[in-house]
Amino acid sequence: MALDSKIPEGPLADKWTSHKFKSKLVNPANKRKYDIIVVGTGLAGASAAASFGELGYNVKSFCFQDSPRRAHSIAAQGGINAAKNYQNDGDSVFRLFYDTIKGGDYRGREANIHRLAEVSVNIIDQCVAQGVPFARDYGGLLDNRSFGGAQVSRTFYARGQTGQQLLLGAYSALSRQVATGKVKLYARTEMLDVVIIDGQARGIVTRNLITGEIESHSAHAVVLATGGYGNVFFLSTNAMGSNVTAAWRAHKKGAFFGNPCYTQIHPTCIPVSGDHQSKLTLMSESLRNDGRIWVPKEAVKGLKAADAAKIAEEDRDYYLERKYPAFGNLVPRDVASRNAKQMCDAGKGVGATGLAVFLDFSDAIKRDGLETIKGKYGNLFDMYQQITGDNPYEMPMMIYPAVHYTMGGLWVDYNLMTSVPGLYAAGEANFSDHGANRLGASALMQGLADGYFVLPYTIGDYLANMPYDKIPTDHEAFQTAEKEVKDRIQKLLSINGTKTVDDFHKELGHIMWEHCGMARNAEGLKLAKEKIKALREEFWKNVKVLGDNEEMNMSLEKANRVADFIELGELMVDDAFNRRESCGGHFREESQTPEGEALRIDDEFSYVAAWEYQGEGQDAKLHKEELEFENVKLTQRSYK
Amino acid sequence: MNLKLKIWRQKNANDKGAFESYDVSDVSPDMSFLEMLDVLNEDLSRDGKDPVHFDHDCREGICGMCSLYINGKPHGPKDAVTTCQLHMRSFKDGDIIVIEPWRASAFPVHKDLVVDRSSFDRIIQAGGYVNVNTGGVPDANEIAIPKTIADQAMDAAQCIGCGACVAACKNASAMLFTAAKVSQLALLPQGQTERHTRVERMVAQMEEEGFGNCTNTGACSAVCPKEIGQEHIARLNREYIGAKAASDNV
Ligand SMILES: Cc1cc2nc3c(=O)[nH]c(=O)nc-3n(C[C@H](O)[C@H](O)[C@H](O)COP(=O)(O)OP(=O)(O)OC[C@H]3O[C@@H](n4cnc5c(N)ncnc54)[C@H](O)[C@@H]3O)c2cc1C
Ligand code: SF4
Ligand code: FES
């Protein structure tokens, strides 16, 4: 099957407008004849489901949490970008487009990214109209800040809870449609398979997480807005339930997986404190505006934050300031992360585990005064103290990079349709707009762009060609899919081995972090592949899943998800092995400049790697979507 | 440290349920409360026993999914944090910790410590929104909103929908939760058009769900992890009286 990205003809800035005009429309009176399934109620899913309902389609909306309002988008802190240029500081749609494509290290699609920048301005209007309480200045107009090293102030925010407020906005729009009866909600319901009939996605199979009931749902189109898969690493900043199952089952039914190895590692997270650790907490990137990052020049074993002051100034290595004098502590996320890892690998890490570096505010407190620092970062400092027991006003924080976001995801064309007709992917679940590295405050923008402003147009174009007839769920294809789901659950429950699901998940995470994390090389990746294969075999022989299907069973829920993570892990390793260049968040050790910086190889790797499933135990097949750059010139990033 | 846990176990909504005791040892002060329960659950699983079911997701105090009644207090002994943000350094060796689900007839137990809070979603569906469709809205800066008003609206909007306010209230009232949304939208210009119908509908839904009446004890605000204050309840009451006086809606 050939990949067709369906990018419209014409000049970059006109593509979306002309595409919308050329898209077919569904007559208002006919919209009620179509059913759409939306899996996921994060920014992407809730905004899509609400907008479809408003247009008149019948929508079924699914999430595994107890309420749509709890989707992982709720946890986003920093903000959302939009090219409003309210600050008159030189922002524009083209500049946001340019920053995004450059930030993604030239591994994203021009047309998609330009569309994202175009609709970014509508998002802010929409959210304000819903009553999202964005921060305002004293004149009552919207406030902005500069985020993640951007040279313009284009980030809108609501205290440190931007994701929460945007999601509650989308949730309110969704709730309004639930009240009108256009959207039916299925909370605590997990999608376990997608059903394809005559080559088109026509429904899903779900498990009710309270009763265990396996059910089928039929529709004319299916949208997956199921978030990212960072939890393949076990430890990440994602919510505990974030998983790849929906995307992975779709992949196994024919949807290509794009750039699976593209993961974003965030430099400022609270380090791991012990084996019991269940997740990692992100500390806002803004801390790097005032904090100075350092390690001792000579390794000091187990150096505590409380003893940091004993290290004399001349014995400290402010390594980012030393190596990148122009940007210092504000180098991009990937550079900051990689350097922290290098320091720790060289034995200079601090803290009990040696896997941490200091982020020190003592100079900032001296310069600006305690009150100023408190005003800027009070909440974050309190949170840090709550978690670690250390007081960052008195001693440096300890930080370490952690998995944060996955740029990879289901491959989609310009219409956000996967390689399976009628199956769409939106938000973090698709691969589309961030290339090999996502800029801060751009995921929220993309989720809402997809749901409010892209899918409502593109799905209409598809449905306009669909007959109205509904497929009953006793159709053979639904029955087969249900049986597969039930058989798999029975198998998981019957193994009754000796290791818990978490044991396997931790082991997988360890392999992925070690060999397919911030830095990779061919040898490590080969080893990882073997280890994952062995882990998978062991899982299906020796996992212990308790209880029955017909009850609330969190051990079974996790087992279902971890089984998919293990398979995904193998594909990520294949993808990382294939991409023999350093780009974006990934450092491929074989591909570096003489100074040890990341080296992209444009003539060989300017493509999207889209992987096609080939069957149990078979290697996936690689398809390449060549990326064409007509509006930007490719340059190597340099922060010296 | 070593601890004794007394945990409410209940197989499903129809089961009567009872407390069971568990000993956990070698608990590190750096663990979060939920990580301590993870460790217990791993031990139970290895022994072939059903792990203790509890709700959680973000573990950062923002999704509102976690919900334990710890030693008689929703979200445990510390003020202004959720259960997932509580760390074991708040306890000491030898402590006995009693862990129960939220108790309210509008929050029936699904299993162990997991309850059904879909009544909250239905209160929002009754009117917790502004009636705007996607597209066709004015430029965001067309409506100026004084910073103080925007800040107060944000104070109310911070509610995470956890339900601790209900669990703490002797009447199991959902007044603080409902007030937080009513107050946010009543403060903002965007919420004015439906101001009266909104409060009437949301309060009617709250009553229909079986939540109790508010007798202004303030227990809700005292346990609210987001410190949503009593002034929002006062605003709801004013809105409600205003609505009743002004209209014959609903
Ligand atoms: C700590 C943190 C801070 C962040 N801060 C920022 C920021 O400041 N700015 C920014 O732009 N981005 C930020 N991000 C990234 C951003 O929050 C996410 O990328 C984005 O919110 C993802 O939205 P989504 O709608 O795609 O998916 P999610 O919000 O993850 O939603 C996924 C949905 O899918 C459902 N689901 C998943 N699988 C299934 C299944 N099998 N069956 C049924 N339902 C399922 C879930 O229930 C949920 O409703 C941050 C991320 C983290 C972790
Ligand atoms: S008002 Fe406070 S306690 Fe009640 S649901 Fe909201 S956040 Fe929780
Ligand atoms: S788990 Fe999200 S608030 Fe506690």
Side-chain angles (χ1 to χ4, degrees):
Chain A
M1 186 190 152
L3 279 179
D4 180 1
S5 56
K6 308 238 173 79
I7 294 172
E9 296 294 320
L12 184 65
D14 301 340
K15 283 181 197 284
W16 178 229
T17 310
S18 70
H19 186 68
K20 279 193 289 188
F21 182 69
K22 285 182 193 146
S23 296
K24 288 186 215 70
L25 300 174
V26 179
N27 173 315
N30 288 337
K31 289 204 177 81
R32 74 174 84 94
K33 296 180 183 158
Y34 291 111
D35 304 332
I36 307 177
I37 284 171
V38 182
V39 189
T41 60
L43 289 182
S47 58
S51 304
F52 294 153
E54 290 162 10
L55 288 170
Y57 298 111
N58 308 311
V59 184
K60 284 185 174 184
S61 155
F62 296 82
C63 66
F64 63 75
Q65 291 92 347
D66 71 331
S67 163
R69 66 181 290 154
R70 308 205 201 280
H72 174 55
S73 294
I74 201 98
Q77 305 166 349
I80 177 167
N81 287 331
K84 279 284 196 188
N85 195 28
Y86 281 161
Q87 307 305 323
N88 195 29
D89 59 356
D91 201 10
S92 63
V93 167
F94 191 83
R95 190 178 296 279
L96 176 54
F97 155 76
Y98 181 78
D99 288 354
T100 307
I101 207 155
K102 176 177 181 226
D105 222 359
Y106 305 100
R107 291 293 175 265
R109 248 188 225 150
E110 280 191 343
N112 284 55
I113 298 175
H114 196 275
R115 172 176 67 189
L116 176 64
E118 280 175 56
V119 304
S120 69
V121 297
N122 305 106
I123 294 172
I124 303 304
D125 299 342
Q126 190 63 36
C127 296
V128 166
Q130 290 167 346
V132 169
F134 282 121
R136 290 180 180 262
D137 58 27
Y138 286 97
L141 299 180
L142 291 161
D143 192 23
N144 291 115
R145 58 183 171 204
S146 125
F147 197 72
Q151 283 166 313
V152 291
S153 289
R154 63 160 74 101
T155 304
F156 294 77
Y157 63 101
R159 297 205 183 132
Q161 291 125 278
T162 317
Q164 180 199 27
Q165 293 310 315
L166 296 174
L167 184 62
L168 293 181
Y171 162 76
S172 71
L174 180 70
S175 300
R176 176 172 163 250
Q177 291 310 306
V178 173
T180 67
K182 286 314 282 180
V183 176
K184 191 159 164 29
L185 268 187
Y186 294 83
R188 291 205 201 262
T189 306
E190 183 146 345
M191 164 187 156
L192 293 179
D193 213 347
V194 47
V195 177
I196 295 167
I197 298 174
D198 297 333
Q200 291 174 311
R202 290 308 300 260
I204 60 172
V205 174
T206 58
R207 180 170 180 273
N208 178 319
L209 300 182
I210 304 164
T211 63
E213 195 184 342
I214 305 296
E215 272 185 316
S216 286
H217 302 269
S218 164
H220 296 90
V222 176
V223 177
L224 302 184
T226 46
Y229 50 84
N231 279 347
V232 65
F233 291 87
F234 186 72
L235 288 180
S236 82
T237 61
N238 289 7
M240 299 298 288
S242 298
N243 70 86
V244 77
T245 289
W248 190 253
R249 305 281 167 101
H251 173 60
K252 290 175 88 167
K253 286 283 170 84
F256 293 1
F257 213 107
N259 298 330
C261 83
Y262 284 176
T263 324
Q264 179 161 79
I265 317 270
H266 198 290
T268 51
C269 300
I270 299 181
V272 175
S273 75
D275 262 353
H276 58 263
Q277 191 101 21
S278 61
K279 75 156 282 168
L280 295 169
T281 303
L282 177 80
M283 299 299 289
S284 167
E285 183 141 51
S286 61
L287 291 170
R288 286 197 281 142
N289 288 333
D290 285 299
R292 296 181 71 195
I293 294 175
W294 65 276
V295 293
K297 278 186 184 154
E298 296 297 327
V300 183
K301 217 174 145 39
L303 180 63
K304 290 193 185 122
D307 295 331
K310 291 185 192 150
I311 308 287
E313 197 58 34
E314 62 272 20
D315 296 328
R316 300 176 177 192
D317 183 5
Y318 295 90
Y319 55 89
L320 291 178
E321 297 171 25
R322 169 172 61 80
K323 290 171 74 175
Y324 310 96
F327 282 74
N329 295 298
L330 290 173
V331 290
R333 290 180 178 176
D334 52 336
V335 180
S337 294
R338 200 151 51 237
N339 276 278
K341 179 177 182 326
Q342 278 167 4
M343 290 298 143
C344 296
D345 288 352
K348 294 184 183 167
V350 298
T353 60
L355 290 176
V357 298
F358 287 135
L359 176 63
D360 200 329
F361 292 88
S362 52
D363 287 335
I365 292 173
K366 254 181 251 154
R367 185 188 63 219
D368 300 339
L370 188 74
E371 282 315 308
T372 308
I373 296 300
K374 220 179 216 161
K376 278 192 189 166
Y377 308 114
N379 280 351
L380 293 166
F381 279 33
D382 291 348
M383 175 164 99
Y384 182 85
Q385 185 164 13
Q386 174 68 26
I387 293 175
T388 62
D390 284 354
N391 178 351
Y393 293 104
E394 286 165 9
M395 57 186 85
M397 284 184 179
M398 289 200 272
I399 53 161
Y400 198 66
V403 173
H404 179 54
Y405 181 88
T406 48
M407 283 75 69
L410 290 175
W411 182 89
V412 288
D413 64 16
Y414 188 71
N415 296 317
L416 304 185
M417 200 196 286
T418 68
S419 49
V420 175
L423 181 66
Y424 291 78
E428 194 173 339
N430 74 27
F431 90 103
S432 69
D433 296 355
H434 307 290
N437 178 45
R438 176 178 68 79
L439 290 183
S442 285
L444 302 181
M445 168 173 73
Q446 182 226 332
L448 291 179
D450 290 358
Y452 284 134
F453 297 109
V454 179
L455 281 173
Y457 288 91
T458 60
I459 215 163
D461 183 55
Y462 172 77
L463 291 174
N465 286 331
M466 286 285 281
Y468 305 132
D469 54 326
K470 299 178 196 272
I471 297 183
T473 52
D474 57 7
H475 184 283
E476 189 195 334
F478 281 102
Q479 295 304 312
T480 315
E482 276 191 28
K483 183 167 181 316
E484 277 169 20
V485 164
K486 285 180 188 160
D487 287 351
R488 180 176 147 121
I489 288 174
Q490 274 323 311
K491 184 154 181 212
L492 285 169
L493 289 169
S494 65
I495 298 169
N496 197 20
T498 58
K499 281 163 78 172
T500 65
V501 178
D502 272 1
D503 289 337
F504 284 99
H505 196 177
K506 281 184 189 174
E507 221 167 299
L508 174 68
H510 189 75
I511 300 170
M512 296 302 294
W513 181 246
E514 205 50 37
H515 301 297
C516 196
M518 270 182 282
R520 302 125 186 224
N521 60 52
E523 217 161 299
L525 289 164
K526 270 192 213 150
L527 189 66
K529 175 133 176 157
E530 269 157 42
K531 284 186 179 175
I532 298 173
K533 273 206 156 96
L535 189 70
R536 178 171 167 189
E537 267 173 39
E538 196 196 345
F539 179 89
W540 285 102
K541 280 190 200 129
N542 195 25
V543 72
K544 191 182 189 80
V545 186
L546 295 153
D548 300 316
N549 177 56
E550 288 70 32
E551 60 175 346
M552 180 171 270
N553 185 341
M554 292 184 176
S555 158
L556 175 62
E557 286 167 32
K558 267 199 267 182
N560 248 323
R561 294 172 189 162
V562 170
D564 293 336
F565 275 136
I566 296 177
E567 293 180 15
L568 165 76
E570 210 178 313
L571 184 67
M572 289 172 73
V573 165
D574 285 345
D575 186 45
F577 185 80
N578 171 66
R579 193 165 283 279
R580 220 174 4 74
E581 66 166 346
S582 299
C583 75
H586 320 102
F587 192 63
R588 182 69 187 255
E589 286 164 0
E590 296 91 325
S591 181
Q592 46 180 304
T593 65
E595 302 87 52
E597 295 298 327
L599 181 68
R600 246 180 26 234
I601 310 178
D602 290 332
D603 44 2
E604 269 185 80
F605 292 102
S606 298
Y607 63 77
V608 175
W611 298 87
E612 181 182 7
Y613 186 72
Q614 298 287 302
E616 206 78 37
Q618 305 286 316
D619 281 344
K621 184 171 163 202
L622 174 64
H623 299 260
K624 296 179 184 176
E625 180 198 334
E626 294 296 336
L627 291 167
E628 279 160 37
F629 297 96
E630 291 165 353
N631 301 277
V632 296
K633 208 169 133 289
L634 275 59
T635 52
Q636 286 282 353
R637 296 188 299 159
S638 167
Y639 299 96
K640 290 279 170 193
Chain B
M1 60 183 126
N2 300 323
L3 304 163
K4 188 175 258 334
L5 308 177
K6 290 176 104 173
I7 304 180
W8 184 260
R9 302 299 310 258
Q10 180 175 339
K11 237 187 125 35
N12 52 46
N14 302 324
D15 183 26
K16 259 184 72 192
F19 281 103
E20 272 190 45
S21 294
Y22 304 92
D23 292 311
V24 285
S25 44
D26 297 328
V27 173
S28 139
D30 286 333
M31 280 182 188
S32 72
F33 194 84
L34 296 183
E35 284 169 348
M36 183 272 296
L37 288 181
D38 290 343
V39 170
L40 169 71
N41 276 343
E42 283 292 283
D43 288 347
L44 288 174
S45 301
R46 263 180 252 283
D47 289 349
K49 296 189 187 126
D50 196 20
V52 178
H53 281 58
F54 58 88
D55 265 331
H56 65 108
D57 199 24
C58 73
R59 296 203 176 186
E60 288 190 8
I62 194 76
C63 73
M65 188 114 177
C66 63
S67 58
L68 304 179
Y69 200 74
I70 302 166
N71 287 342
K73 203 175 161 209
H75 292 308
K78 275 192 82 105
D79 287 342
V81 297
T82 53
T83 294
C84 61
Q85 294 172 297
L86 180 64
H87 278 70
M88 294 314 291
R89 69 179 68 84
S90 299
F91 298 89
K92 56 180 195 314
D93 189 43
D95 275 359
I96 299 175
I97 309 178
V98 183
I99 310 172
E100 295 171 79
W102 285 173
R103 303 230 188 245
S105 56
F107 288 165
V109 172
H110 281 312
K111 179 169 181 175
D112 296 340
L113 306 168
V114 177
V115 301
D116 180 353
R117 285 171 288 193
S118 54
S119 45
F120 269 15
D121 287 325
R122 290 187 293 272
I123 292 176
I124 299 295
Q125 286 154 20
Y129 41 76
V130 175
N131 264 302
V132 286
N133 282 351
T134 304
V137 298
D139 184 273
N141 256 352
E142 223 152 83
I143 336 163
I145 302 175
K147 188 174 176 348
T148 46
I149 299 289
D151 285 348
Q152 284 176 51
M154 181 63 199
D155 290 342
Q158 292 191 87
C159 165
I160 57 174
C162 62
C165 44
V166 175
C169 175
K170 66 180 170 55
N171 310 319
S173 168
M175 197 62 158
L176 192 63
F177 167 78
T178 309
K181 190 46 76 182
V182 167
S183 188
Q184 175 200 344
L185 296 177
L187 279 159
L188 295 172
Q190 299 94 308
Q192 295 312 304
T193 347
E194 308 137 90
R195 185 170 174 178
H196 293 324
T197 46
R198 174 180 305 116
V199 67
E200 288 183 322
R201 292 206 175 119
M202 289 179 75
V203 169
Q205 188 65 35
M206 181 174 85
E207 283 165 2
E208 193 180 319
E209 296 291 344
F211 290 104
N213 290 328
C214 174
T215 50
N216 294 310
T217 65
C220 48
S221 292
V223 300
C224 172
K226 298 296 144 181
E227 302 182 291
I228 310 277
Q230 292 290 297
E231 68 275 17
H232 299 292
I233 294 189
R235 184 168 295 109
L236 180 146
N237 284 328
R238 285 198 302 276
E239 289 292 313
Y240 191 72
I241 294 165
K244 284 287 172 213
S247 82
D248 46 17
N249 283 313
V250 185

